[in-house]
């Protein structure tokens, strides 16, 4: 693995004689991972620049798994960057489509600024029906005149030992209730996987531990099977990289399964997989019965997600496991 990106304190700007490129994407795990091909495209466009990724502190360890970033600048969504020193040669807004995020990168006073078109900011046109990966690849390819491969989603495997290997990962959490399939259904899927002879673990962040414990209890799993709140971000990535299969909702872990090409069943509800789904590979199966008109920030279970049955998910898992 390449050397990890250095943490940046805001005080630099070409001190080693290199030009600098700053890329803005301080969002969630799925956002970071869907932006990886675009970040690699920027690296190809400016191979000799120091490439600085402005992202959240929580995601900083995972940036080391992308072979394109030199330094991390801790950032908070839509807040000014803590930047001191010379203006960068290039700044790219991989955050959003309008002035709210454009002003963040424009505030660095870069020699070149790449954003989507909005009042006062000329650039490529934003298409609302474009897949998230392809959208940012197109911004980079049109704006910087470089090929940008939307399938370049792979990450390096973390240099940490995963707490478990060859397991079925059940990830019940999601950022908003509208994207959370019911815990009792995840528990039924976990029971099915155990009956099929697999070791099952339930993953999640610290805030999802109670949910994960509920899934495990209903599935008849002991507390040792609950990894939620007990893994670092790198350990979680390592677990997914070494997993037998992953089942989850429309959340960051689905994109980790894509990054490591692990068999996965992903459950979509308010958001269409045409916008956020995995690439068309045989090892990724999508369940979806919606029209894309739901609310991804909804406070109650999305009706389209509710229409996905346990039998549908277990059938998809059985098919994947039979092939792998």
């Amino acid at each position: 693995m390449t050397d990890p990106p250095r943490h940046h304190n805001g005080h630099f700007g070409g001190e080693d004689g290199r030009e600098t490129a700053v890329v803005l994407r301080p969002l969630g795990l799925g956002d970071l991972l869907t932006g990886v091909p675009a970040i690699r495209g920027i690296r190809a466009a400016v191979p000799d620049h120091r490439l600085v990724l402005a992202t959240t502190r929580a995601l900083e360890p995972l940036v080391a798994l992308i072979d394109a970033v030199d330094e991390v600048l801790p950032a908070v969504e839509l807040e000014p960057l803590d930047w001191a020193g010379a203006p960068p040669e290039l700044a790219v807004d991989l955050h959003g489509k309008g002035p709210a995020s454009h002003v963040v990168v424009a505030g660095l006073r870069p020699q070149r600024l790449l954003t989507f078109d909005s009042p006062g900011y000329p650039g490529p046109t934003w298409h609302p029906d474009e897949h998230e990966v392809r959208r940012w690849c197109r911004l980079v390819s049109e704006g910087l005149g470089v090929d940008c491969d939307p399938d370049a989603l792979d990450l390096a495997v973390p240099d940490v030992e995963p707490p478990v290997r060859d397991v079925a990962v059940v990830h019940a959490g999601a950022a908003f209730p509208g994207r959370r399939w019911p815990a009792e259904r995840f528990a039924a899927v976990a029971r099915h996987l155990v009956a099929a002879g697999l070791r099952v673990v339930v993953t999640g962040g610290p805030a999802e531990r109670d949910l994960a414990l509920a899934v495990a209890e209903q599935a008849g799993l002991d507390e040792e099977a609950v990894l939620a709140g007990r893994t670092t971000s790198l350990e979680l990535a390592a677990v997914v990289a070494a997993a037998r299969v992953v089942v989850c909702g429309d959340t960051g872990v689905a994109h980790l399964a894509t990054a490591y090409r692990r068999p996965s069943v992903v459950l979509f509800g308010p958001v269409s997989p045409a916008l956020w789904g995995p690439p068309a590979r045989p090892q990724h199966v999508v369940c979806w019965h919606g029209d894309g008109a739901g609310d991804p920030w909804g406070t109650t279970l999305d009706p389209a997600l509710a229409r996905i049955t346990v039998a549908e998910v277990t059938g998809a898992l059985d098919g994947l496991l039979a092939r792998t």
Side-chain angles (χ1 to χ4, degrees):
M1 197 167 72
T2 57
D3 291 337
R6 288 194 294 149
H7 178 88
H8 181 253
N9 62 9
H11 293 278
F12 83 90
E15 68 267 21
D16 63 356
R18 284 197 291 168
E19 299 277 16
T20 301
V22 177
V23 180
L24 180 72
R25 200 159 175 83
L27 294 160
L29 174 59
D31 303 278
L32 174 67
L33 300 183
T34 52
V36 165
I39 294 168
R40 288 184 168 134
I42 295 165
R43 165 55 74 204
V46 288
D48 297 325
H49 283 44
R50 176 189 289 106
L51 198 151
V52 179
L53 180 64
T55 192
T56 65
R57 289 187 182 275
L59 293 176
E60 187 170 349
L62 296 169
V63 175
L65 308 177
I66 307 169
D67 56 359
V69 178
D70 296 308
E71 305 202 21
V72 172
L73 178 65
V76 177
E77 185 175 359
L78 299 181
E79 291 190 8
L81 296 174
D82 181 17
W83 181 271
E89 192 279 324
L90 172 67
V92 182
D93 182 0
L94 290 189
H95 181 287
K97 64 180 178 179
S101 59
H102 295 354
V103 297
V104 176
V105 282
L108 303 178
R109 296 177 291 113
Q111 296 173 44
R112 287 190 292 163
L113 177 64
L114 178 56
T115 70
F116 275 111
D117 180 67
S118 69
Y121 296 93
T125 301
W126 174 279
H127 301 315
D129 59 350
E130 193 167 20
H131 191 283
E132 184 72 3
V133 174
R134 294 183 177 277
R135 162 179 293 133
W136 300 111
C137 279
R138 182 174 59 82
L139 175 72
V140 170
S141 61
E142 290 185 14
L144 299 179
V146 67
D147 288 337
C148 195
D149 179 6
D151 204 45
L153 293 157
D154 295 17
L155 293 181
V157 176
D159 190 20
V160 299
E161 182 62 27
V164 291
R165 289 181 176 272
D166 300 315
V167 297
V169 172
V170 174
H171 188 91
F176 292 90
R179 285 184 265 146
R180 286 183 211 139
W181 204 47
E184 62 271 18
R185 298 193 205 179
F186 272 115
V189 169
R191 288 196 300 271
H192 177 88
L193 290 165
V194 170
L198 279 77
R199 181 180 176 187
V200 175
V201 297
V202 187
T203 57
E208 295 168 333
R209 183 160 176 82
D210 287 347
L211 171 62
L213 285 167
V215 170
E217 182 179 9
Q218 293 176 58
L221 301 171
D222 60 34
E223 192 170 334
E224 279 300 301
V226 179
L227 298 186
R230 294 170 46 206
T231 57
T232 66
S233 57
L234 287 178
E235 287 171 335
L236 175 60
V239 168
V240 173
R244 181 90 178 275
V245 70
V246 176
V247 57
C248 62
D250 172 20
T251 190
V253 166
H255 299 284
L256 281 175
T258 292
Y260 293 116
R261 298 177 181 259
R262 303 314 301 149
S264 61
V265 176
V266 187
L267 286 55
F268 279 81
V271 177
S272 168
L275 301 179
W276 279 90
R281 301 173 184 159
Q283 70 265 44
H284 306 310
V285 177
V286 166
C287 299
W288 188 57
H289 303 298
D291 58 8
D295 179 6
W297 304 282
T299 56
T300 58
L301 176 64
D302 183 81
L305 186 58
R307 285 195 284 272
I308 299 174
T309 66
V310 170
E312 181 181 356
V313 175
T314 56
L317 287 165
D318 289 346
L320 277 180
L321 292 166
R323 294 201 301 271
T324 58

